[in-house]
DNA sequence: AACAATAATGCAAACGTTTGCATTAATTTT
DNA sequence: AAAATTAATGCAAACGTTTGCATTATTGTT
């Protein structure tokens, strides 16, 4: 009944050769005769042989598995990064174990531990919102597991990093707003402890500085990056304060919350108040009005991240210089920040 | 330099006991003295011992790993199912390997093979659009790997299944439309080879039959479930045909495409033409007008799926009866199908 | 035909756990 | 205090590969 999996030994017995020869044949070792290889391959097929990755990993001391930690899988940005990573790693023979930190440092620690226990060949990680200490990550590094940080990075760790050029993305966006003639801006975004939000604010601030405006003196709201937070805040803010000309949001979700609040007051976008988002979520081009945002090339980011990791894995001596890659984002101008409404696009 | 990982043997040597005792101590075996356990745990900590899951899996013949195949990870529905699965599997000590079939049966086959090679304890799978033959899945079953199908299932396979009650979801939706007074309906959806779309159409058809209308005689459009497909189709359709009173879409994305086309013609929703979607994507509550849709409880589906699998894994004798779980969806009525526009909700 | 050189295969240990059975230590019973 | 019982630990094999080194088979050289 319980038809056990065929092993390398079974093949060996059938052909009256040793397991070593079979192993080498299967791995296309140059010292094995072509005829033998073909015999082995044929019987492997006949016996329905499936290589046992676990045994192989144990012997080799390494699993052909890579661990990837994301804050949340159901964010388009992250799921696309995952797709990018897979598109490089799978062809290279690696499997991905995906873990969610759910923005909690405790979960992140647990994730790291299971990944170490699984003897993964490498770890890709985007930090949780709570991560200010990095002992757990250093722990992985001490265990000689190559680590690559992507998107949400930190300076303290000396590892390869793939980053979005948030400063420049936000700068370009703000330049566009300035060109449209907007001056009275307002910033809404996540707390600036995360590099992404610090940098987006920096780009915004830099562009404004060029025309002599101090961003810190304009209205600023920082909170959790959710639709609800922004909606609740804006609902009261709009009543009690002079209207800004444009709301610059560090997140599409926050922008969306603001839009709902604005429209509930009967205000028009962009005529009464303009608004921009960030990261070009799929809904950005669908809502009314279509939302100006910044495309982050998440899939490409995943690919670069995976490539860096592969480089680290294959180099036996950990290279002294840790690479850092910047992904250049792209401004997507849509209706929500256009003074003269000419453009039509999805 | 290359400080090798501590093993069970290292702990044993330090304490002058055997590896077996250490192993049992670590696994909290009842026959090990409490004092010994505490010694072992202490030195394990001191030596920074990390259990080697690979060795353990090899010895036990099974990995504490579960494979999960999804068509696409960047669909909210699927990423939420994943989250649900993890919420059950991780506490039970299992890791998830996630694979994307990208709607291709070839990829699906490859996925199955890597999962078999990884000796996963079980496989969760939602079929790709192309999957009409199931040899590869039977192959996994023959290898004694428990399989659970979720969402996109098929009758041919005798395994546990978790299904959305699409018939009832679509039926409720159509009842609501009928109550609103709509009669001239139009169906747009994916090709009816997939159970989900067949069933959604069935629910629609059933409800209409009750009031003496033959759904097959109303306009029907079937195509790939994407925004673009629906948009392109609707753009010309609306010009050349009498307007339906309501468009019933089997997918939020297709509904969105239709909405864009409708609004470009200067038509108002729901006054000139109403529209509904399915599966309650996050944008459904955000767009203008807010889209009536059907919530599928994806996270719960993931949890049920995981529970079924755990049941299969723990029962040594494969139970004859394969369970089937139905998840009841919930109609979410929003502006896009309300004749009298009273309701205000996000 | 004898030898050297190379090609192909075999041997056996190792990777780090787990586990049935055997053994020894500690406790209870008579 | 010896025997019987139970508790605690040890022994050794096994899981299925991989791989350095040894051995045998094959080919080429003189």
């Amino acid at each position: 009944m319980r038809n056990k999996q065929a092993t390398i030994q079974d093949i060996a017995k059938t052909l009256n050769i040793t397991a070593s020869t079979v192993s080498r044949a299967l791995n296309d070792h140059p010292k094995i005769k072509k005829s033998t290889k073909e015999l082995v391959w044929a019987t492997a097929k006949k016996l329905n042989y499936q290589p046992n990755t676990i045994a192989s990993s144990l012997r080799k001391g390494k699993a052909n598995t890579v661990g990837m930690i994301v804050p949340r899988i159901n964010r388009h940005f992250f799921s696309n990064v995952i797709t990018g990573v897979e598109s490089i790693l799978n062809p290279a023979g690696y499997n991905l174990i995906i873990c969610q930190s759910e923005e909690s440092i405790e979960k992140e620690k647990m994730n790291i531990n299971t990944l170490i226990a699984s003897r993964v060949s490498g770890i890709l990680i985007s930090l949780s919102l709570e991560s200010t200490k990095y002992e757990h990550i250093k722990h992985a590094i001490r265990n000689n597991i190559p680590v690559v940080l992507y998107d949400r990075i930190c300076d303290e760790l000396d590892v390869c990093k793939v980053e979005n050029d948030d400063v420049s993305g936000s700068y370009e966006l703000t330049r566009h707003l300035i060109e449209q003639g907007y001056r009275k801006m307002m910033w809404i975004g996540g707390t600036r402890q995360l590099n992404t939000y610090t940098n987006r604010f920096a780009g915004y601030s830099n562009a404004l500085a060029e025309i002599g405006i101090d961003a810190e003196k304009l209205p600023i709201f920082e909170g959790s990056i959710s639709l609800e937070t922004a909606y609740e805040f804006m609902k009261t803010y709009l009543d009690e304060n002079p209207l800004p000309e444009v709301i610059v949001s560090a997140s599409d979700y926050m922008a969306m919350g603001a839009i709902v609040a604005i429209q509930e007051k009967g205000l028009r976008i962009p005529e009464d108040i303009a608004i921009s988002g960030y990261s070009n979520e799929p809904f950005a081009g669908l809502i009314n009005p279509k939302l100006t945002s910044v495309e982050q090339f998440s899939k490409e980011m995943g690919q670069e991240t995976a490539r860096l990791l592969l480089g680290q894995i294959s180099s036996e001596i950990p290279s002294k210089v840790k690479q850092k890659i910047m992904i250049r984002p792209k401004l997507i101008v849509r209706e929500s920040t256009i003074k003269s409404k000419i453009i039509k696009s999805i």
Side-chain angles (χ1 to χ4, degrees), chain A:
Chain A
M1 183 64 220
R2 215 157 208 289
N3 50 338
K4 299 268 290 173
Q5 286 272 350
T7 76
I8 232 173
Q9 317 263 9
D10 299 327
I11 302 180
K13 258 174 231 155
T14 332
L15 292 176
N16 254 327
I17 53 180
T18 42
S20 4
T21 308
V22 176
S23 169
R24 284 190 258 253
L26 290 172
N27 291 314
D28 213 0
H29 191 283
K31 284 212 169 172
I32 300 294
K33 233 194 308 183
K34 191 144 181 242
S35 59
T36 319
K37 283 181 187 172
E38 275 157 6
L39 270 174
V40 169
W41 291 335
T43 44
K45 192 158 218 170
K46 208 180 62 196
L47 297 183
N48 188 23
Y49 169 76
Q50 297 281 147
N52 185 326
T53 325
I54 299 179
S56 163
S57 299
L58 176 60
R59 173 58 228 244
K60 296 204 279 193
K62 262 192 181 168
N64 58 341
T65 301
V66 166
M68 179 164 184
I69 302 180
V70 296
R72 287 230 145 79
I73 204 181
N74 68 358
R75 289 287 161 110
H76 247 81
F77 174 74
F78 287 116
S79 60
N80 285 337
V81 176
I82 292 175
T83 306
V85 167
E86 279 199 317
S87 75
I88 299 294
L89 250 37
N90 287 349
Y94 288 89
N95 276 118
L96 248 200
I97 295 185
I98 297 167
C99 308
Q100 302 190 61
S101 68
E102 293 175 357
E103 307 289 11
S104 136
I105 192 170
E106 279 313 315
K107 278 223 163 193
E108 202 172 274
K109 283 180 189 171
M110 285 174 47
N111 290 338
I112 294 265
N113 278 336
T114 49
L115 292 179
I116 294 180
S118 301
R119 296 296 188 274
V120 291
S121 307
I123 295 180
L124 309 174
I125 173 166
S126 191
L127 298 170
S128 88
L129 279 176
E130 290 177 9
S131 304
T132 49
K133 292 274 171 197
Y134 313 105
E135 230 355 272
H136 52 305
I137 301 180
K138 287 180 186 166
H139 182 208
I141 299 172
R142 272 196 305 274
N143 278 303
N144 296 308
I145 302 181
V147 170
V148 179
L149 287 178
Y150 66 93
D151 190 46
R152 303 206 197 148
I153 64 177
C154 69
D155 288 332
E156 194 176 326
L157 293 168
D158 182 35
V159 297
C160 288
K161 292 164 195 170
V162 183
E163 198 181 353
N164 276 307
D165 194 345
D166 286 308
V167 177
S168 113
S170 194
Y171 174 85
E172 296 294 341
L173 170 67
T174 313
R175 286 288 314 158
H176 153 73
L177 297 174
I178 292 171
E179 274 162 26
Q180 289 288 313
Y182 299 115
R183 291 295 179 274
K184 289 190 203 151
M185 305 196 182
M186 169 174 189
W187 176 263
I188 64 179
T191 53
R192 270 184 272 165
Q193 89 108 336
L194 222 58
N195 60 309
T196 40
Y197 300 110
T198 335
N199 290 341
R200 287 176 200 174
F201 185 83
Y204 167 75
S205 171
N206 293 350
L208 284 173
E210 288 181 0
I211 57 164
I213 297 180
D214 181 357
E216 296 283 357
K217 291 199 177 134
L218 293 171
I220 293 176
F221 170 69
E222 290 183 355
S224 78
I225 15 157
S226 72
L227 191 148
E228 291 75 18
T229 309
Y231 170 75
E232 288 301 335
F233 169 77
M234 271 298 154
K235 214 163 58 171
T236 59
Y237 181 89
L238 290 172
D239 285 338
E240 299 165 359
N241 296 276
L243 281 195
E245 289 170 0
V246 58
I247 295 176
V248 187
S249 166
S251 133
D252 280 348
Y253 281 97
M254 291 189 88
M256 196 60 227
I259 288 175
V260 174
I262 291 168
Q263 291 180 335
E264 277 186 11
K265 305 272 178 221
L267 297 169
R268 293 161 308 157
I269 303 173
E271 292 83 352
D272 298 321
I273 185 168
I275 184 161
S276 67
Y278 207 103
S279 84
N280 201 27
E281 290 285 331
F283 65 76
L286 306 180
I287 58 178
N288 194 344
K290 298 180 178 106
L291 182 64
T292 292
S293 194
V294 178
E295 167 64 39
Q296 305 216 77
F297 301 107
S298 37
K299 193 174 169 191
E300 287 75 8
M301 168 167 251
Q303 295 177 324
E304 292 300 335
T305 309
R307 284 200 196 99
L308 276 190
L309 183 70
L310 286 182
Q312 293 284 303
I313 292 177
S314 57
S315 73
E316 20 268 66
I317 316 116
S319 56
K320 286 282 160 244
V321 193
K322 303 296 180 182
Q323 286 188 66
K324 191 165 172 177
I325 291 180
M326 275 278 190
I327 309 267
R328 250 197 114 69
K330 189 175 161 226
L331 175 64
I332 314 275
V333 176
R334 297 200 184 89
E335 298 165 2
S336 71
T337 58
I338 296 282
K339 280 219 158 159
S340 47
K341 238 187 168 179
I342 315 173
I343 288 177
K344 272 270 179 196
S345 70
I346 299 185

